[in-house]
Amino acid sequence: KNMQAAFGYKIEGIGQIKAQYFAKQASVEMEDEEGETITVLSDDADGRIEVAFNLTKVENLFVEFGFRMPTDTDIAGEWQQINVYGNYKMDAMTFHLLAMITLTEDDTVMKFGAGMDYALDGGIGINADVRYYNDVAYNGEDARITFMVGATKGFSNGLIGAGLEVVSADETGYMVPVRMEYWF
């Protein structure tokens, strides 16, 4: 009920193909003696099949295509997810693109993003991105567009950073993300 099996194969000069099966013990909702809804573990496995391909043939370009789906639609529902991520490096700049599309029985969830990182001298980096989420991604609420700008300062064993993110939907909001990393 709880397992993960994966393999990968590198195609010299082209890229790498990867696949995995991932499962965890499924949970179900039921009513207890007082009539309240509780969640309990079932005897079934909630499994997923995931396949990806990394294209590395072009210098400074990395693209990954992915696909995943459940093995038991009675437990997880019927859906398939397609993901694409890519980045291209030019000197101090890195451009990013992201697309995530989930096809369900009723609707299509769409999430798209584009961004850029720029490395300055002294371990300082600036970044910006814009993302779009359709209304289905937020349970039928309005579609959203987010904009983010930020800066980081790298050190020998970590980095710190902060930014400003603006969310535009029915009502506009903002966040101030803070980033701190330390590694050994």
Side-chain angles (χ1 to χ4, degrees):
K1 295 177 189 136
N2 294 301
M3 69 170 288
Q4 181 176 4
F7 79 91
Y9 180 74
K10 185 175 182 180
I11 304 166
E12 196 62 43
I14 296 174
Q16 181 181 29
I17 188 165
K18 304 177 283 190
Q20 79 171 350
Y21 172 75
F22 173 81
K24 63 181 180 181
Q25 190 169 7
S27 58
V28 294
E29 290 186 354
M30 58 187 311
E31 290 187 10
D32 65 7
E33 295 171 0
E34 287 85 38
E36 294 185 31
T37 302
I38 59 171
T39 302
V40 296
L41 295 175
S42 82
D43 292 331
D44 298 319
D46 184 5
R48 310 264 190 273
I49 294 173
E50 301 176 348
V51 180
F53 177 73
N54 296 353
L55 177 67
T56 57
K57 183 176 182 170
V58 180
E59 186 177 352
N60 298 327
L61 176 69
F62 174 84
V63 179
E64 182 167 35
F65 304 93
F67 174 80
R68 59 186 223 148
M69 63 180 274
T71 57
D72 189 339
T73 57
D74 291 335
I75 295 172
E78 192 165 325
W79 58 268
Q80 296 87 34
Q81 188 175 68
I82 301 162
N83 300 312
V84 178
Y85 167 75
N87 70 51
Y88 184 73
K89 297 180 182 191
M90 289 177 32
D91 298 322
M93 287 189 285
T94 303
F95 298 96
H96 304 272
L97 287 173
L98 172 69
M100 298 173 9
I101 299 171
T102 304
L103 307 168
T104 67
E105 295 176 60
D106 304 321
D107 282 312
T108 301
V109 177
M110 294 185 291
K111 302 175 183 180
F112 301 103
M116 183 190 78
D117 298 333
Y118 190 82
L120 301 169
D121 293 334
I124 297 174
I126 57 173
N127 58 348
D129 75 15
V130 59
R131 294 181 186 235
Y132 168 80
Y133 306 89
N134 73 343
D135 60 335
V136 181
Y138 284 99
N139 299 323
E141 295 180 18
D142 290 338
R144 296 181 185 195
I145 297 175
T146 66
F147 305 91
M148 199 277 298
V149 293
T152 58
K153 168 66 174 137
F155 300 100
S156 61
N157 286 21
L159 63 83
I160 59 171
L164 175 65
E165 184 171 357
V166 178
V167 178
S168 177
D170 186 30
E171 295 182 19
T172 300
Y174 70 93
M175 295 171 265
V176 179
V178 176
R179 182 176 167 188
M180 291 182 270
E181 293 182 23
Y182 184 81
W183 51 86
F184 303 89

